[in-house]
mmCIF file of all heavy atoms in Angstrom:
data_model
loop_
_atom_site.group_PDB
_atom_site.id
_atom_site.type_symbol
_atom_site.label_atom_id
_atom_site.label_comp_id
_atom_site.label_asym_id
_atom_site.label_seq_id
_atom_site.Cartn_x
_atom_site.Cartn_y
_atom_site.Cartn_z
ATOM 1 N N GLU A 1 -2.085 -1.547 11.001
ATOM 2 C CA GLU A 1 -2.023 -1.979 12.394
ATOM 3 C C GLU A 1 -3.429 -2.214 12.949
ATOM 4 O O GLU A 1 -3.640 -3.095 13.786
ATOM 5 C CB GLU A 1 -1.291 -0.917 13.231
ATOM 6 C CG GLU A 1 -0.910 -1.361 14.638
ATOM 7 C CD GLU A 1 -1.946 -0.944 15.681
ATOM 8 O OE1 GLU A 1 -2.785 -0.068 15.365
ATOM 9 O OE2 GLU A 1 -1.914 -1.497 16.804
ATOM 10 N N TYR A 2 -4.414 -1.476 12.423
ATOM 11 C CA TYR A 2 -5.786 -1.674 12.864
ATOM 12 C C TYR A 2 -6.277 -3.069 12.494
ATOM 13 O O TYR A 2 -6.820 -3.804 13.339
ATOM 14 C CB TYR A 2 -6.724 -0.620 12.263
ATOM 15 C CG TYR A 2 -8.180 -0.912 12.554
ATOM 16 C CD1 TYR A 2 -8.690 -0.776 13.844
ATOM 17 C CD2 TYR A 2 -9.031 -1.369 11.552
ATOM 18 C CE1 TYR A 2 -10.010 -1.078 14.133
ATOM 19 C CE2 TYR A 2 -10.359 -1.672 11.826
ATOM 20 C CZ TYR A 2 -10.847 -1.530 13.116
ATOM 21 O OH TYR A 2 -12.154 -1.840 13.408
ATOM 22 N N LEU A 3 -6.075 -3.466 11.223
ATOM 23 C CA LEU A 3 -6.579 -4.756 10.774
ATOM 24 C C LEU A 3 -5.793 -5.927 11.367
ATOM 25 O O LEU A 3 -6.378 -6.907 11.833
ATOM 26 C CB LEU A 3 -6.531 -4.838 9.242
ATOM 27 C CG LEU A 3 -7.516 -3.955 8.470
ATOM 28 C CD1 LEU A 3 -7.269 -4.081 6.978
ATOM 29 C CD2 LEU A 3 -8.967 -4.315 8.800
ATOM 30 N N LEU A 4 -4.472 -5.832 11.344
ATOM 31 C CA LEU A 4 -3.638 -6.979 11.710
ATOM 32 C C LEU A 4 -3.455 -7.155 13.208
ATOM 33 O O LEU A 4 -3.310 -8.291 13.683
ATOM 34 C CB LEU A 4 -2.270 -6.864 11.032
ATOM 35 C CG LEU A 4 -2.270 -6.802 9.496
ATOM 36 C CD1 LEU A 4 -0.847 -6.772 8.961
ATOM 37 C CD2 LEU A 4 -3.041 -7.974 8.899
ATOM 38 N N THR A 5 -3.430 -6.074 13.942
ATOM 39 C CA THR A 5 -3.219 -6.184 15.390
ATOM 40 C C THR A 5 -4.496 -5.914 16.182
ATOM 41 O O THR A 5 -4.969 -6.774 16.926
ATOM 42 C CB THR A 5 -2.099 -5.241 15.840
ATOM 43 O OG1 THR A 5 -0.870 -5.650 15.226
ATOM 44 C CG2 THR A 5 -1.915 -5.298 17.355
ATOM 45 N N GLN A 6 -5.070 -4.723 16.012
ATOM 46 C CA GLN A 6 -6.247 -4.390 16.811
ATOM 47 C C GLN A 6 -7.422 -5.323 16.519
ATOM 48 O O GLN A 6 -8.085 -5.815 17.443
ATOM 49 C CB GLN A 6 -6.657 -2.935 16.560
ATOM 50 C CG GLN A 6 -5.650 -1.897 17.044
ATOM 51 C CD GLN A 6 -6.136 -0.480 16.784
ATOM 52 O OE1 GLN A 6 -7.311 -0.159 16.940
ATOM 53 N NE2 GLN A 6 -5.223 0.391 16.362
ATOM 54 N N LEU A 7 -7.667 -5.572 15.238
ATOM 55 C CA LEU A 7 -8.822 -6.382 14.867
ATOM 56 C C LEU A 7 -8.525 -7.884 14.975
ATOM 57 O O LEU A 7 -9.200 -8.616 15.698
ATOM 58 C CB LEU A 7 -9.270 -6.025 13.448
ATOM 59 C CG LEU A 7 -10.544 -6.705 12.930
ATOM 60 C CD1 LEU A 7 -11.725 -6.428 13.851
ATOM 61 C CD2 LEU A 7 -10.858 -6.219 11.519
ATOM 62 N N LEU A 8 -7.498 -8.343 14.273
ATOM 63 C CA LEU A 8 -7.240 -9.781 14.187
ATOM 64 C C LEU A 8 -6.707 -10.364 15.496
ATOM 65 O O LEU A 8 -7.220 -11.370 15.996
ATOM 66 C CB LEU A 8 -6.263 -10.066 13.043
ATOM 67 C CG LEU A 8 -5.882 -11.534 12.824
ATOM 68 C CD1 LEU A 8 -7.109 -12.366 12.480
ATOM 69 C CD2 LEU A 8 -4.837 -11.665 11.727
ATOM 70 N N LYS A 9 -5.670 -9.743 16.033
ATOM 71 C CA LYS A 9 -5.038 -10.336 17.220
ATOM 72 C C LYS A 9 -5.766 -9.990 18.512
ATOM 73 O O LYS A 9 -5.973 -10.859 19.372
ATOM 74 C CB LYS A 9 -3.577 -9.885 17.303
ATOM 75 C CG LYS A 9 -2.689 -10.427 16.183
ATOM 76 C CD LYS A 9 -1.246 -9.968 16.367
ATOM 77 C CE LYS A 9 -0.342 -10.517 15.282
ATOM 78 N NZ LYS A 9 1.062 -10.089 15.427
ATOM 79 N N GLU A 10 -6.159 -8.734 18.659
ATOM 80 C CA GLU A 10 -6.736 -8.314 19.941
ATOM 81 C C GLU A 10 -8.236 -8.578 20.010
ATOM 82 O O GLU A 10 -8.707 -9.283 20.895
ATOM 83 C CB GLU A 10 -6.415 -6.833 20.177
ATOM 84 C CG GLU A 10 -4.916 -6.571 20.353
ATOM 85 C CD GLU A 10 -4.564 -5.087 20.407
ATOM 86 O OE1 GLU A 10 -5.498 -4.250 20.324
ATOM 87 O OE2 GLU A 10 -3.364 -4.767 20.529
ATOM 88 N N GLU A 11 -8.999 -8.032 19.062
ATOM 89 C CA GLU A 11 -10.456 -8.209 19.121
ATOM 90 C C GLU A 11 -10.865 -9.655 18.844
ATOM 91 O O GLU A 11 -11.691 -10.227 19.564
ATOM 92 C CB GLU A 11 -11.135 -7.278 18.121
ATOM 93 C CG GLU A 11 -12.656 -7.414 18.129
ATOM 94 C CD GLU A 11 -13.339 -6.531 17.100
ATOM 95 O OE1 GLU A 11 -12.840 -5.413 16.819
ATOM 96 O OE2 GLU A 11 -14.388 -6.950 16.565
ATOM 97 N N MET A 12 -10.276 -10.261 17.794
ATOM 98 C CA MET A 12 -10.677 -11.612 17.405
ATOM 99 C C MET A 12 -9.903 -12.689 18.147
ATOM 100 O O MET A 12 -10.258 -13.861 18.098
ATOM 101 C CB MET A 12 -10.515 -11.780 15.885
ATOM 102 C CG MET A 12 -11.394 -10.828 15.080
ATOM 103 S SD MET A 12 -11.040 -10.881 13.296
ATOM 104 C CE MET A 12 -11.619 -12.530 12.886
ATOM 105 N N GLY A 13 -8.839 -12.321 18.822
ATOM 106 C CA GLY A 13 -8.112 -13.252 19.675
ATOM 107 C C GLY A 13 -7.269 -14.275 18.940
ATOM 108 O O GLY A 13 -7.021 -15.368 19.470
ATOM 109 N N PHE A 14 -6.797 -13.934 17.730
ATOM 110 C CA PHE A 14 -5.976 -14.888 16.978
ATOM 111 C C PHE A 14 -4.620 -15.062 17.647
ATOM 112 O O PHE A 14 -3.868 -14.112 17.826
ATOM 113 C CB PHE A 14 -5.796 -14.398 15.539
ATOM 114 C CG PHE A 14 -4.919 -15.281 14.700
ATOM 115 C CD1 PHE A 14 -5.219 -16.624 14.526
ATOM 116 C CD2 PHE A 14 -3.776 -14.777 14.093
ATOM 117 C CE1 PHE A 14 -4.404 -17.448 13.761
ATOM 118 C CE2 PHE A 14 -2.963 -15.583 13.317
ATOM 119 C CZ PHE A 14 -3.268 -16.925 13.154
ATOM 120 N N GLN A 15 -4.291 -16.309 18.009
ATOM 121 C CA GLN A 15 -3.048 -16.616 18.710
ATOM 122 C C GLN A 15 -2.012 -17.287 17.813
ATOM 123 O O GLN A 15 -0.920 -17.629 18.274
ATOM 124 C CB GLN A 15 -3.343 -17.543 19.901
ATOM 125 C CG GLN A 15 -4.271 -16.936 20.937
ATOM 126 C CD GLN A 15 -3.671 -15.709 21.609
ATOM 127 O OE1 GLN A 15 -2.499 -15.717 21.985
ATOM 128 N NE2 GLN A 15 -4.465 -14.663 21.746
ATOM 129 N N GLY A 16 -2.367 -17.476 16.537
ATOM 130 C CA GLY A 16 -1.480 -18.210 15.646
ATOM 131 C C GLY A 16 -0.465 -17.324 14.953
ATOM 132 O O GLY A 16 -0.157 -16.215 15.382
ATOM 133 N N LEU A 17 0.050 -17.824 13.852
ATOM 134 C CA LEU A 17 1.143 -17.205 13.109
ATOM 135 C C LEU A 17 0.583 -16.382 11.954
ATOM 136 O O LEU A 17 -0.170 -16.894 11.120
ATOM 137 C CB LEU A 17 2.058 -18.324 12.582
ATOM 138 C CG LEU A 17 3.169 -17.986 11.602
ATOM 139 C CD1 LEU A 17 4.112 -16.953 12.179
ATOM 140 C CD2 LEU A 17 3.931 -19.254 11.239
ATOM 141 N N LEU A 18 0.946 -15.112 11.899
ATOM 142 C CA LEU A 18 0.511 -14.215 10.826
ATOM 143 C C LEU A 18 1.657 -14.021 9.852
ATOM 144 O O LEU A 18 2.700 -13.450 10.198
ATOM 145 C CB LEU A 18 0.065 -12.870 11.417
ATOM 146 C CG LEU A 18 -0.415 -11.814 10.422
ATOM 147 C CD1 LEU A 18 -1.612 -12.310 9.623
ATOM 148 C CD2 LEU A 18 -0.757 -10.518 11.159
ATOM 149 N N VAL A 19 1.477 -14.514 8.624
ATOM 150 C CA VAL A 19 2.552 -14.493 7.634
ATOM 151 C C VAL A 19 2.213 -13.503 6.521
ATOM 152 O O VAL A 19 1.045 -13.303 6.177
ATOM 153 C CB VAL A 19 2.784 -15.914 7.053
ATOM 154 C CG1 VAL A 19 1.550 -16.431 6.324
ATOM 155 C CG2 VAL A 19 4.003 -15.945 6.146
ATOM 156 N N SER A 20 3.246 -12.881 5.977
ATOM 157 C CA SER A 20 3.035 -11.971 4.848
ATOM 158 C C SER A 20 2.879 -12.768 3.566
ATOM 159 O O SER A 20 3.216 -13.953 3.499
ATOM 160 C CB SER A 20 4.214 -11.000 4.715
ATOM 161 O OG SER A 20 5.316 -11.633 4.085
ATOM 162 N N ASP A 21 2.396 -12.114 2.521
ATOM 163 C CA ASP A 21 2.390 -12.726 1.204
ATOM 164 C C ASP A 21 3.730 -12.448 0.518
ATOM 165 O O ASP A 21 4.583 -11.733 1.047
ATOM 166 C CB ASP A 21 1.214 -12.199 0.368
ATOM 167 C CG ASP A 21 0.710 -13.229 -0.633
ATOM 168 O OD1 ASP A 21 1.525 -14.040 -1.116
ATOM 169 O OD2 ASP A 21 -0.500 -13.225 -0.938
ATOM 170 N N TRP A 22 3.901 -12.981 -0.657
ATOM 171 C CA TRP A 22 5.152 -12.975 -1.431
ATOM 172 C C TRP A 22 5.652 -11.543 -1.669
ATOM 173 O O TRP A 22 5.039 -10.777 -2.401
ATOM 174 C CB TRP A 22 4.886 -13.685 -2.751
ATOM 175 C CG TRP A 22 6.003 -13.769 -3.731
ATOM 176 C CD1 TRP A 22 6.367 -12.802 -4.618
ATOM 177 C CD2 TRP A 22 6.881 -14.876 -3.948
ATOM 178 N NE1 TRP A 22 7.414 -13.242 -5.383
ATOM 179 C CE2 TRP A 22 7.749 -14.517 -4.997
ATOM 180 C CE3 TRP A 22 7.018 -16.129 -3.369
ATOM 181 C CZ2 TRP A 22 8.742 -15.371 -5.479
ATOM 182 C CZ3 TRP A 22 7.991 -16.977 -3.851
ATOM 183 C CH2 TRP A 22 8.841 -16.596 -4.888
ATOM 184 N N LYS A 23 6.753 -11.166 -1.009
ATOM 185 C CA LYS A 23 7.374 -9.841 -1.175
ATOM 186 C C LYS A 23 6.379 -8.696 -0.953
ATOM 187 O O LYS A 23 6.557 -7.598 -1.482
ATOM 188 C CB LYS A 23 8.004 -9.713 -2.564
ATOM 189 C CG LYS A 23 9.173 -10.652 -2.806
ATOM 190 C CD LYS A 23 9.752 -10.523 -4.198
ATOM 191 C CE LYS A 23 10.586 -9.267 -4.359
ATOM 192 N NZ LYS A 23 11.338 -9.277 -5.644
ATOM 193 N N ALA A 24 5.340 -8.961 -0.163
ATOM 194 C CA ALA A 24 4.261 -7.985 -0.036
ATOM 195 C C ALA A 24 4.694 -6.714 0.677
ATOM 196 O O ALA A 24 4.159 -5.630 0.403
ATOM 197 C CB ALA A 24 3.073 -8.609 0.694
ATOM 198 N N LEU A 25 5.663 -6.821 1.606
ATOM 199 C CA LEU A 25 6.103 -5.607 2.299
ATOM 200 C C LEU A 25 6.668 -4.591 1.320
ATOM 201 O O LEU A 25 6.603 -3.379 1.565
ATOM 202 C CB LEU A 25 7.146 -5.945 3.367
ATOM 203 C CG LEU A 25 6.704 -6.793 4.567
ATOM 204 C CD1 LEU A 25 7.733 -6.719 5.678
ATOM 205 C CD2 LEU A 25 5.340 -6.389 5.079
ATOM 206 N N GLU A 26 7.212 -5.063 0.214
ATOM 207 C CA GLU A 26 7.821 -4.159 -0.750
ATOM 208 C C GLU A 26 6.785 -3.374 -1.557
ATOM 209 O O GLU A 26 7.143 -2.538 -2.378
ATOM 210 C CB GLU A 26 8.761 -4.942 -1.675
ATOM 211 C CG GLU A 26 9.940 -5.532 -0.901
ATOM 212 C CD GLU A 26 10.894 -6.322 -1.787
ATOM 213 O OE1 GLU A 26 11.075 -5.945 -2.963
ATOM 214 O OE2 GLU A 26 11.458 -7.317 -1.296
ATOM 215 N N GLN A 27 5.508 -3.643 -1.318
ATOM 216 C CA GLN A 27 4.443 -2.840 -1.932
ATOM 217 C C GLN A 27 4.006 -1.683 -1.025
ATOM 218 O O GLN A 27 3.184 -0.866 -1.429
ATOM 219 C CB GLN A 27 3.239 -3.715 -2.263
ATOM 220 C CG GLN A 27 3.503 -4.759 -3.336
ATOM 221 C CD GLN A 27 2.223 -5.456 -3.779
ATOM 222 O OE1 GLN A 27 1.115 -5.072 -3.402
ATOM 223 N NE2 GLN A 27 2.366 -6.488 -4.595
ATOM 224 N N LEU A 28 4.547 -1.626 0.187
ATOM 225 C CA LEU A 28 4.198 -0.536 1.105
ATOM 226 C C LEU A 28 4.954 0.731 0.716
ATOM 227 O O LEU A 28 5.983 0.675 0.039
ATOM 228 C CB LEU A 28 4.522 -0.953 2.543
ATOM 229 C CG LEU A 28 3.751 -2.163 3.089
ATOM 230 C CD1 LEU A 28 4.211 -2.505 4.499
ATOM 231 C CD2 LEU A 28 2.246 -1.893 3.077
ATOM 232 N N PRO A 29 4.465 1.883 1.143
ATOM 233 C CA PRO A 29 5.107 3.156 0.761
ATOM 234 C C PRO A 29 6.504 3.309 1.370
ATOM 235 O O PRO A 29 6.835 2.691 2.390
ATOM 236 C CB PRO A 29 4.158 4.217 1.329
ATOM 237 C CG PRO A 29 2.873 3.512 1.611
ATOM 238 C CD PRO A 29 3.240 2.091 1.920
ATOM 239 N N GLY A 30 7.318 4.162 0.709
ATOM 240 C CA GLY A 30 8.604 4.573 1.275
ATOM 241 C C GLY A 30 9.763 3.679 0.894
ATOM 242 O O GLY A 30 9.683 2.845 -0.017
ATOM 243 N N SER A 31 10.862 3.870 1.640
ATOM 244 C CA SER A 31 12.077 3.097 1.413
ATOM 245 C C SER A 31 11.908 1.672 1.937
ATOM 246 O O SER A 31 10.915 1.353 2.608
ATOM 247 C CB SER A 31 13.254 3.754 2.133
ATOM 248 O OG SER A 31 13.053 3.683 3.546
ATOM 249 N N TYR A 32 12.900 0.823 1.684
ATOM 250 C CA TYR A 32 12.841 -0.549 2.184
ATOM 251 C C TYR A 32 12.792 -0.550 3.712
ATOM 252 O O TYR A 32 12.048 -1.337 4.317
ATOM 253 C CB TYR A 32 14.042 -1.356 1.681
ATOM 254 C CG TYR A 32 13.948 -2.831 2.001
ATOM 255 C CD1 TYR A 32 12.981 -3.635 1.402
ATOM 256 C CD2 TYR A 32 14.813 -3.429 2.917
ATOM 257 C CE1 TYR A 32 12.880 -4.992 1.693
ATOM 258 C CE2 TYR A 32 14.730 -4.789 3.213
ATOM 259 C CZ TYR A 32 13.754 -5.557 2.597
ATOM 260 O OH TYR A 32 13.661 -6.903 2.890
ATOM 261 N N ASN A 33 13.541 0.339 4.335
ATOM 262 C CA ASN A 33 13.486 0.469 5.797
ATOM 263 C C ASN A 33 12.070 0.800 6.255
ATOM 264 O O ASN A 33 11.555 0.209 7.222
ATOM 265 C CB ASN A 33 14.439 1.572 6.264
ATOM 266 C CG ASN A 33 15.874 1.107 6.334
ATOM 267 O OD1 ASN A 33 16.245 0.124 5.709
ATOM 268 N ND2 ASN A 33 16.701 1.820 7.086
ATOM 269 N N ASP A 34 11.445 1.754 5.559
ATOM 270 C CA ASP A 34 10.077 2.143 5.905
ATOM 271 C C ASP A 34 9.115 0.972 5.734
ATOM 272 O O ASP A 34 8.214 0.759 6.559
ATOM 273 C CB ASP A 34 9.615 3.303 5.014
ATOM 274 C CG ASP A 34 10.430 4.573 5.220
ATOM 275 O OD1 ASP A 34 10.966 4.756 6.331
ATOM 276 O OD2 ASP A 34 10.524 5.374 4.257
ATOM 277 N N GLN A 35 9.291 0.214 4.660
ATOM 278 C CA GLN A 35 8.397 -0.904 4.363
ATOM 279 C C GLN A 35 8.493 -1.992 5.427
ATOM 280 O O GLN A 35 7.468 -2.490 5.916
ATOM 281 C CB GLN A 35 8.736 -1.483 2.981
ATOM 282 C CG GLN A 35 8.441 -0.522 1.834
ATOM 283 C CD GLN A 35 9.081 -0.954 0.529
ATOM 284 O OE1 GLN A 35 10.032 -1.755 0.524
ATOM 285 N NE2 GLN A 35 8.597 -0.420 -0.586
#
């Protein structure tokens, strides 16, 4: 959340579309719900 929201969207002011990479959420810890 620091990199994607606080840094990219808020500090840097990015107003565009932030897309994930290929099935990248499934590399995050925990269950699919958690990811």
Side-chain angles (χ1 to χ4, degrees):
E1 192 265 344
Y2 172 70
L3 290 176
L4 301 183
T5 296
Q6 294 181 40
L7 185 57
L8 180 61
K9 293 182 179 180
E10 295 173 1
E11 180 182 327
M12 298 173 68
F14 178 57
Q15 299 296 316
L17 171 57
L18 180 60
V19 62
S20 79
D21 210 329
W22 178 277
K23 295 179 75 170
L25 294 195
E26 295 180 34
Q27 294 189 8
L28 298 178
S31 66
Y32 188 67
N33 280 20
D34 296 333
Q35 293 166 340

